[in-house]
Each structure stands twice: as C-alpha cells, then as structure tokens.
Amino acid sequence: MSLTMAPACIPKLWAWLFMVFLCLTGYNGMLQFAAATIQGYIEDTDMTCPSVCRCDEDFIYCNDRGLSSIPSLPPSASVLYLQNNHINNPGLPTSLERHLSVRVVYLYDNELDEFPMHLPPSVRELHLQDNNIRTIPRSTLARMPLLEKLHLDDNSISTVSIEDQAFADNPRLRLLFLSRNHLSSIPSGLPASLEELRLDDNRISTIPTHAFRGLSSLRCLVLDGNLLANQRIADDTFSRLSNLTELSLVRNSLQTPPVNLPSAHLQRLSLQDNALTHMPRGSLDGMHRLQRLDLSGNNLTTLPRGLFKDLDNLGQLLVRGNPWHCGCNLRWLYDWLRIRGNSITVRGLICHGPDRVRDLALIDLTSEMEECEVLRIAGTKDKGAVGGVESSTTNAPPQGSLFTLRSKRPGLGLPDSALDYTLSSSGVGKSLALNVKPLSHNSVRVTWSVAQPSSSFRLSWLRLGTGNAMGSITETLVRGDRREYLLTSLQPRSSYIICMVPLPASSESKVTISGDADSDEAVVCAKAETSDLSPLEEEDQDSRQITTLPLAGIIGGATATVSLALIFGVFCWYAHRTGHLCSRDHYTRSNSRKNKNYDDYIESGTKKDNTILEIRGPGFQMTPMPACQPVQPKPLREDYIIHTIFPSNGTGIYKGSNHVSNAGHVTNRGYREGGIPDIDYCYT
C-alpha cells in the first residue's frame, strides 16, 4: 500500500518545490529592483546642481552671480569657482568642511575681511586675492595640511598681522603670493618646501641675514616695487638661496647689484628701473646658466671689461633707457657682441654720447671702434718707451660724477694760471707718463701709464686764455686701476692744461690735505687744444641762440609788465583809500569860497570829535576816524552831539541842556555833492 501511494505524492512534492522556487525568484527580483531604485535616487540627489550655478561634471561655476553666501553643493564637486561675488565670512557654511573631494577654490574679489574658515581639509589650491583680509592665523591654515598654492595678493596684510609660525602646519606649500599688501619686512617662519615667493609692491626696506634661512628649495623670488637700497641688504642675504633660478628686483633704489648673488642656477636676473650707476667687475661672475639680463631704465654709462666673461648662455640682454657713452671704453663689449652674433638678442644699446654717435647702435660703430684699436696700439708703444708697463682699461663714471669737485686749496700742485705753459700733448715724470688727445670740439681723451701701482690719481685741468685763466681749476679723483679718462663738456677752440699726480695709499691723505713738495714733483702736465666747431654745428648753435633770445625777451617783458601793473594797482588803491577816508571829514566849498576850507562841525557851532557813536541794535560802538583835516580851534564850551547812523526819523540825540533848534545850520552838502542820497547818512 505504501509503495502504491509513493508515486502519487511525488508530483505534488515537485509542484510545491516549484512554487517555492518561483516565490523566491520573484522576491529576489523585487529586492534588486528596490535596491537599483534607491541607488539611482541617491545618485540623482548627489549630482543635483545649485539653481544659481552651472555644473560641468565636478566643476561648479558660481562666479559673477552676485552671491552673498555659498549655496549647497553636490558632494562630488572638486573645483569651485566662487569669484567676483559678494561673499563675506558669515556666508561660508560649516557644511563646506564635509566636501572632501574639493581640491581648488576660487574666492578672489569678494568681501572677506578675515581668513576663511570651514574650508575643506582636502584643498590644495586657494585663491583669496582682491579681498580685505588682514590677518593670517596659524589655526586656520592648520585645517588645510595639503595646501600647495596660496594666493593672497591685493589684501591688507601687514608683517605684524601674520601669526608667528603661521605656515608651520603646511609642509606641502610650494607657492605663496603676497603681492600688493602692507608688508614692511620678509615674513618669518616660511616653510622649507616653498619654491616661489612673490612679495612685490609692498613696503619692504630691509632684508636681514636670516630672512631666507632654510629656503633652500626656493626657485623664484620677486621683490619688485619695494624700498630696497644697497645699504639695507645684508651681504649674504641671497647667497643662501642656492637653487634660485629667477630673481627680480625691479623698481627699487639699488645703485649696484646686491653682492653675493646666487650664481650656480640663476637663469633670469631683472634689475630694471633702479638707480644703477655702475656694474662692479665680478658682480656677474659664475652665472654660466644666466639666460636673460635686464638692466633697463638705469643710469649706466659704461660697463667694465670682463663683466660678461661667464655669461656663456646669455640669450637676452635688455639695456634700454641708459645714457650709454660709446667711446673706446665699450670696445670690449662691441667685440663680445660681434663674436656672439645671432645667438644673443640685444635691446636698447643705443649711444647717448659723444654727439657724433648719438642715437646710433653700438654694434654699428665699426669705424669708431677701429680708431680705438689704433689708439690702443699707439698707447702700447708709448708705454713700452716709458718702461714697458702693461695696464688694463677700466672705466668709471665720466666727468661730472660725485667725485668731481672745485679746487679751493692753492697748494695742491694744480695747473697755475700765472705760468706760460709750453707743453706738448704728452708728459713724462718719474713714475707717470701722461698722454692727451682731443677727440672733438668739446672732449679730450687722457691716457697714462705708471711704473708703480697707485691707489688713485688726482686729475686736474684748466682752460687758458690770452690773459688770465678764463675758467676755474677743476679736479677729480680717479681710481687706481684706471688708465684712461674722457674729459667732456669742454669749450671749443680753447687750450687746456691737464695735470695728473699719483696718490699712493700711504700718503694719499697727506697729499690731498697738505700738498707737500713730494707731490708737487710727481705732478705731470700736458697741453691740449680743442678743435673748432664744424659749420653745421656752428649753424645749429647760432640758431639755438637766436631762438633763445626772443623767448628771453618775451619772458622779461611780461615779468616787467606784470610788476608795473601790480605797483600801479597798489598805488591807486592806496590813493583811493586815503581820498575816500578824508572826503568824509574834509572838503572844500565851491563858488566864491572854493579856496577856503570849512568844516560843517565848526560851522554848526559844535565841537568835532574823532569818534562816532554808532548804534547797532541795542548797543553802542566807538569807531575811531583818522584826522585828515587841519587842526581846528578849540571851542570854549564842550558840547557833544551823538550822531545816529541811519536814523529812522531823521532826528538826533543831544547831550546837555542846550537844544539846537535852528535847522538852517544843518548841512549835508558834502554827501549830496558826491551824488549819494541824504537818507544814507546821518543828520546834524
């Protein structure tokens, strides 16, 4: 029986199992559908873009929207453009800290007055320029340990408002921009990871030795537009920056390049718009990798020989805006540029003097430089005849520098105007050989050679005339390493006595002050005569004088006319004022009595006083009047009449018991004759 029932139950069992399988399969599908629906909803919620912004994947553009606060952002945002709005510090929500995918934030040109808080700790680049941020707290920066680039240009940050060790918790910071703030010194505690530092357009005037300590990774340093001068920069300030590749010191007050510049890796050096007067020899030594040198906008007239000896890779030389004197002093630079050829680009090497080469490029002065070579060979022969002393050519600032002075001491061994010099163009002494050669109508080239080294030379020159000297004696001190000098701004068609004396280091002060006999014996003099002006130059000079004379006459005439008009006006004003005051008290009768002076006060039988009681509202004021009339006879009685100013009823107020009732004695003739109505004045 059991065996018979078993086959009948098997189909039912399979049916039940099939129904269970179908139920489980349907339940699983429902679960998957629900999960997919929930996931899609979540994803749609995450990618919701703020209605006032525009989103491009993880880039959120909310700039230039006039926002005062940051809207809700999708969690996937990585770059936030929030610049050019009105966002202030309360407009930064605390929920911003939870957006851990944000890497770059642009918040420049907003209304932030404090360093923003609640920024995501994942930020690597932060732009905060063009706000009004005044402080940099360490606690706020410590919230962003991954920060690499920080832009704080155009804010109100001062040196004292940067908290001590403010960047200590930012070990990855590579770029720091603090341009156009209120810094007076280099911020302290800068991280060692810093590679680019911009501090331009601040008020930095001093750089101590320890300013850049520990910044061995710094590659770019910009200090443009500050108050830096050579005297306020420590000698080894920049030598610590061993990996520096770019240094910019534009728009400062430097007279020479800072000493001990880092030379190993420097590629760009910018010194334009300073007050450079000369470049010391050796200031660019070792800069084999230098590619760009900018010396524009300074006061350089020459460059010393050998200045560019190590600039093998120099590709750009910018020197415009300097008064270059293109004489034999720049022959070495002419040769150096020709050797370099097209491998270097030069801008602005235009001659400012002498006049015959003005506005010409140095590289185009082929014939002038060949003349310098002839002069050099001739000078070498002269030196060999004297003693075979070889000298180098180094050029200092030309005549008219700070070292040129007028001689005030007659015992210095200078040219004597009372002597009749019969000298040649060369002079030879015990230890000095002097040569002079006129180059133009207003310049003379002076060269010399010495047998023994000297710390400096005193060069003096005097213009001679038919009688006494026509000009004062002028002297200048020349460095001991020089062997030539160019006298400029001389008078044409004139004879000059040029003398030189070496000043040894041991007796320089003695010679300069006392002028002893030994220094007089060492003086070597020579004579030079400047040439005549060319016809073209004479015509140009005459035309300038002719055009100057009418201008001077016009200015002088105008000045005289204005002065006379001013004097005449003062005189008329004084005469008018004097006549106006006197006319009130002293006038002359007309007709038969016009030649006799009368006084209305005496005529009316009263005594004239020098004061008038003037009624002004409830009070009285005594106003003195100048006595312009002759002395009047003193009456026997002292009766006074108080005259009212602008009376309402034309009556007077009297003092004493006597009452004047005769109106015939009342007169106002003087005022009526002047054409002024009677009502405007008082009545007696």
Side-chain angles (χ1 to χ4, degrees):
M1 183 70 182
S2 61
L3 295 175
T4 305
M5 293 179 61
C9 293
I10 290 175
K12 294 181 179 181
L13 181 62
W14 281 106
W16 281 102
L17 291 176
F18 181 72
M19 292 295 295
V20 171
F21 177 75
L22 289 178
C23 291
L24 292 176
T25 303
Y27 182 73
N28 186 30
M30 293 177 60
L31 290 178
Q32 291 181 358
F33 176 77
T37 303
I38 295 173
Q39 182 67 24
Y41 174 77
I42 294 176
E43 290 180 357
D44 292 341
T45 303
D46 289 346
M47 292 305 297
T48 300
C49 182
S51 59
V52 295
C53 304
R54 181 177 63 87
C55 302
D56 185 4
E57 295 182 353
D58 55 348
F59 290 76
I60 312 300
Y61 297 93
C62 298
N63 54 296
D64 300 281
R65 299 295 200 277
L67 303 177
S68 59
S69 61
I70 300 178
S72 299
L73 302 173
S76 60
S78 63
V79 180
L80 305 181
Y81 293 94
L82 300 167
Q83 69 272 16
N84 298 325
N85 283 292
H86 303 288
I87 301 173
N88 50 24
N89 290 89
L92 299 175
T94 57
S95 60
L96 197 60
E97 297 179 350
R98 295 191 292 270
H99 292 268
L100 302 181
S101 59
V102 175
R103 295 179 291 104
V104 183
V105 178
Y106 293 93
L107 270 170
Y108 62 84
D109 197 7
N110 277 282
E111 298 179 3
L112 302 173
D113 53 7
E114 295 179 0
F115 201 96
M117 301 180 63
H118 310 303
L119 292 177
S122 58
V123 172
R124 289 172 171 79
E125 184 174 345
L126 180 59
H127 294 259
L128 296 174
Q129 55 266 40
D130 286 302
N131 282 280
N132 194 30
I133 298 174
R134 295 185 293 270
T135 60
I136 302 181
R138 178 177 178 178
S139 59
T140 305
L141 283 174
R143 297 171 179 264
M144 297 176 287
L146 303 179
L147 189 62
E148 298 179 359
K149 299 179 181 181
L150 178 59
H151 296 259
L152 286 168
D153 315 71
D154 297 285
N155 280 281
S156 302
I157 301 170
S158 61
T159 303
V160 296
S161 65
I162 301 178
E163 187 176 345
D164 189 28
Q165 301 297 321
F167 306 98
D169 299 319
N170 303 100
R172 297 188 180 186
L173 190 62
R174 297 185 294 105
L175 185 147
L176 177 60
F177 284 10
L178 286 168
S179 305
R180 294 174 295 280
N181 279 278
H182 306 317
L183 301 176
S184 58
S185 61
I186 307 296
S188 60
L190 296 175
S193 59
L194 207 60
E195 297 180 2
E196 184 173 356
L197 177 62
R198 292 182 177 267
L199 302 172
D200 47 303
D201 293 301
N202 279 279
R203 304 170 184 173
I204 301 173
S205 60
T206 304
I207 303 181
T209 304
H210 57 78
F212 302 114
R213 181 177 299 170
L215 301 181
S216 57
S217 300
L218 193 64
R219 298 182 181 275
C220 178
L221 177 61
V222 180
L223 292 168
D224 301 350
N226 281 282
L227 306 175
L228 297 175
N230 293 90
Q231 298 81 2
R232 295 189 291 269
I233 300 178
D235 291 345
D236 57 345
T237 295
F238 299 104
S239 61
R240 302 173 181 270
L241 306 175
S242 56
N243 291 315
L244 196 67
T245 60
E246 181 177 352
L247 176 61
S248 184
L249 294 168
V250 181
R251 290 182 287 111
N252 281 281
S253 301
L254 302 175
Q255 295 182 349
T256 60
V259 297
N260 300 326
L261 292 177
S263 57
H265 300 90
L266 196 62
Q267 298 178 7
R268 299 169 65 91
L269 179 59
S270 301
L271 297 172
Q272 64 264 33
D273 296 324
N274 276 274
L276 299 181
T277 56
H278 69 283
M279 297 284 293
R281 180 183 298 176
S283 57
L284 303 179
D285 286 356
M287 298 186 184
H288 296 280
R289 299 186 180 183
L290 192 66
Q291 300 176 4
R292 187 179 187 272
L293 176 62
D294 197 339
L295 300 174
S296 305
N298 287 284
N299 296 321
L300 296 172
T301 58
T302 186
L303 297 174
R305 180 185 296 271
L307 180 66
F308 298 159
K309 65 178 182 179
D310 293 336
L311 306 186
D312 305 326
N313 294 314
L314 189 65
Q316 283 185 301
L317 177 61
L318 309 178
V319 293
R320 60 171 58 92
N322 287 280
W324 297 111
H325 185 86
C326 300
C328 297
N329 53 318
L330 292 180
R331 170 61 193 264
W332 73 269
L333 182 58
Y334 170 83
D335 295 336
W336 186 81
L337 293 175
R338 291 184 65 87
I339 293 174
R340 295 297 303 271
N342 296 329
S343 63
I344 185 172
T345 301
V346 183
R347 295 285 184 270
L349 192 51
I350 306 298
C351 302
H352 189 266
D355 293 339
R356 61 193 179 98
V357 296
R358 183 185 295 270
D359 298 331
L360 296 179
L362 178 66
I363 197 64
D364 297 332
L365 304 182
T366 304
S367 58
E368 287 78 3
M369 293 303 147
E370 290 178 355
E371 293 178 3
C372 293
E373 183 65 20
V374 174
L375 293 174
R376 187 187 67 81
I377 296 174
T380 304
K381 293 180 179 179
D382 293 340
K383 295 172 186 177
V386 173
V389 180
E390 186 67 24
S391 63
S392 61
T393 303
T394 307
N395 296 277
Q399 174 186 346
S401 66
L402 296 176
F403 301 99
T404 302
L405 57 147
R406 297 292 181 182
S407 175
K408 297 182 180 180
R409 303 181 298 275
L412 285 176
L414 298 173
D416 190 354
S417 60
L419 298 179
D420 184 14
Y421 284 89
T422 57
L423 302 175
S424 63
S425 60
S426 62
V428 180
K430 294 180 180 180
S431 59
L432 176 68
L434 181 68
N435 290 299
V436 296
K437 180 181 179 181
L439 296 181
S440 64
H441 65 278
N442 63 351
S443 62
V444 174
R445 180 173 179 265
V446 183
T447 59
W448 63 91
S449 60
V450 292
Q452 297 178 355
S454 178
S455 62
S456 60
F457 301 94
R458 187 177 69 247
L459 178 65
S460 57
W461 59 95
L462 169 68
R463 180 191 176 198
L464 298 179
T466 55
N468 294 330
M470 298 175 62
S472 60
I473 298 173
T474 308
E475 69 170 351
T476 183
L477 295 179
V478 186
R479 295 200 310 265
D481 58 347
R482 292 195 56 188
R483 293 299 179 268
E484 65 176 346
Y485 196 89
L486 183 65
L487 303 181
T488 58
S489 301
L490 304 179
Q491 295 294 329
R493 298 189 299 272
S494 301
S495 298
Y496 284 87
I497 299 300
I498 303 169
C499 296
M500 174 172 283
V501 57
L503 302 177
S506 60
S507 61
E508 179 178 356
S509 60
K510 181 179 178 180
V511 171
T512 304
I513 298 175
S514 62
D516 53 7
D518 294 339
S519 64
D520 291 340
E521 293 178 359
V523 175
V524 178
C525 296
K527 185 176 181 181
E529 295 184 358
T530 55
S531 60
D532 296 341
L533 288 171
S534 63
L536 183 59
E537 292 171 336
E538 289 181 353
E539 183 179 354
D540 187 19
Q541 185 175 4
D542 293 340
S543 63
R544 287 198 299 266
Q545 294 178 354
I546 291 174
T547 54
T548 304
L549 289 176
L551 180 60
I554 292 173
I555 296 175
T559 304
T561 303
V562 172
S563 301
L564 291 175
L566 182 61
I567 295 172
F568 182 73
V570 172
F571 176 77
C572 292
W573 172 82
Y574 178 76
H576 173 71
R577 180 175 178 82
T578 305
H580 177 66
L581 293 177
C582 294
S583 64
R584 296 186 179 184
D585 303 327
H586 186 224
Y587 46 86
T588 306
R589 286 184 179 271
S590 59
N591 298 330
S592 62
R593 302 159 68 185
K594 62 182 179 181
N595 295 327
K596 185 176 181 180
N597 294 333
Y598 285 86
D599 196 313
D600 286 342
Y601 290 92
I602 298 300
E603 190 178 37
S604 60
T606 61
K607 179 182 177 180
K608 183 177 180 180
D609 196 1
N610 286 336
T611 59
I612 294 179
L613 267 176
E614 183 178 3
I615 300 176
R616 294 184 179 175
F620 298 89
Q621 179 179 0
M622 301 298 291
T623 305
M625 301 290 291
C628 298
Q629 69 282 354
V631 179
Q632 305 294 339
K634 182 177 182 182
L636 297 178
R637 291 189 309 166
E638 291 187 1
D639 295 333
Y640 297 88
I641 296 177
I642 301 176
H643 301 278
T644 61
I645 305 300
F646 302 101
S648 59
N649 54 4
T651 59
I653 302 175
Y654 299 88
K655 176 184 177 182
S657 59
N658 296 326
H659 178 73
V660 180
S661 61
N662 187 4
H665 295 285
V666 179
T667 177
N668 200 27
R669 181 178 58 256
Y671 301 116
R672 288 196 298 270
E673 290 177 354
I676 303 174
D678 295 341
I679 194 171
D680 293 340
Y681 297 88
C682 63
Y683 293 86
T684 304

